[in-house]
């Protein structure tokens, strides 16, 4: 894993992809660059890989990604291989975080969506159950079955509702939801 941050782009959107292999995010990725590196909003980040969980050609995250107001889109299976942080917040700006395929992990995933939506379209924890710490979000949606790990999972979504469209299970440990006047729906 790298020790120096990787500052990408000049305030535009960035796409990282591999047609036949894994994309490994090790270290720090920050999409705010160029003239507004100190004050501006970062660009959107889209990542895709050439395979899935079963062939280790997925998106592997073991570091930090900060788009500073831009959105993050994972278009392939994701595996959190070490404690990681995803953030789309910068001042009053928040981007969405979209997991468009399955998400698994062997470590805690810290997610800061600010007032942006955090959306899980695929299965969560179906191969490797893990715990999620969502510190802020403008709503959280789980479209398929969720199996969380045996540690502590927290979902803090004061700016939007939380929805589970399928089963929610946890191996052990605690699940805490901080919602203020927002609601949680279970429709699975």
């Amino acid at each position: 894993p790298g020790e120096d941050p990787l500052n990408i782009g000049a305030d535009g959107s960035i796409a990282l992809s591999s047609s036949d292999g894994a994309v490994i995010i090790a270290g720090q990725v920050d999409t705010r660059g160029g003239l507004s590196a100190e004050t501006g909003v970062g660009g959107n980040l889209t990542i895709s890989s050439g395979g899935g969980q079963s062939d280790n050609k997925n998106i592997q995250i073991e570091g930090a990604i900060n788009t500073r107001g831009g959105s993050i889109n994972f278009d392939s299976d994701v595996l959190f291989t070490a404690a990681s942080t995803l953030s789309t917040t910068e001042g009053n700006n928040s981007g969405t975080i979209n997991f468009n395929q399955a998400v698994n992990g062997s470590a805690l995933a810290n997610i800061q969506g600010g007032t942006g939506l955090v959306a899980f379209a695929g299965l969560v924890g179906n191969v490797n159950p893990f715990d999620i710490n969502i510190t802020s979000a403008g709503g959280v949606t789980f479209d398929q079955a969720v199996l969380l790990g045996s540690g502590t999972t927290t979902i803090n979504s004061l700016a939007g509702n939380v929805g589970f469209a399928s089963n929610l299970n946890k191996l052990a440990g605690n699940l805490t939801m901080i919602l203020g006047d927002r609601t949680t729906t279970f429709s699975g």
Side-chain angles (χ1 to χ4, degrees):
E3 294 180 14
D4 294 324
L6 174 60
N7 296 301
I8 300 175
D11 309 326
S13 296
I14 294 99
L16 300 174
S17 66
S18 171
S19 61
D20 189 31
V23 174
I24 301 171
I25 305 295
Q28 182 178 347
V29 175
D30 188 333
T31 65
R32 185 176 66 186
L35 297 175
S36 64
E38 297 300 319
T39 60
V41 174
N44 299 326
L45 177 64
T46 301
I47 305 173
S48 61
S49 67
Q53 300 289 355
S54 62
D55 56 7
N56 288 324
K57 293 180 180 178
N58 48 16
I59 300 166
Q60 300 173 21
I61 303 173
E62 51 188 72
I65 298 173
N66 192 341
T67 60
R68 302 178 188 273
S71 294
I72 301 173
N73 297 294
F74 297 104
D75 289 341
S76 303
D77 290 356
V78 171
L79 177 65
F80 288 96
T81 56
S84 303
T85 300
L86 307 177
S87 178
T88 60
T89 63
E90 179 67 23
N92 293 326
N93 298 302
S94 298
T96 60
I97 300 175
N98 298 299
F99 295 93
N100 296 317
Q101 300 292 326
V103 182
N104 287 280
S106 56
L108 179 67
N110 293 295
I111 299 173
Q112 301 167 347
T115 58
L117 176 68
V118 177
F120 296 87
L123 295 167
V124 175
N126 64 309
V127 176
N128 295 83
F130 67 110
D131 289 299
I132 303 169
N133 180 26
I134 300 176
T135 59
S136 61
V140 182
T141 59
F142 296 91
D143 292 345
Q144 295 191 36
V146 177
L147 177 57
L148 298 170
S150 57
T152 299
T153 290
T154 303
I155 299 174
N156 184 338
S157 184
L158 297 175
N161 298 329
V162 176
F164 294 91
S166 188
N167 297 334
L168 167 63
N169 292 292
K170 185 144 177 43
L171 294 178
N174 297 321
L175 170 61
T176 302
M177 287 195 257
I178 304 164
L179 304 174
D181 61 355
R182 301 301 177 162
T183 62
T184 300
T185 57
F186 297 92
S187 56

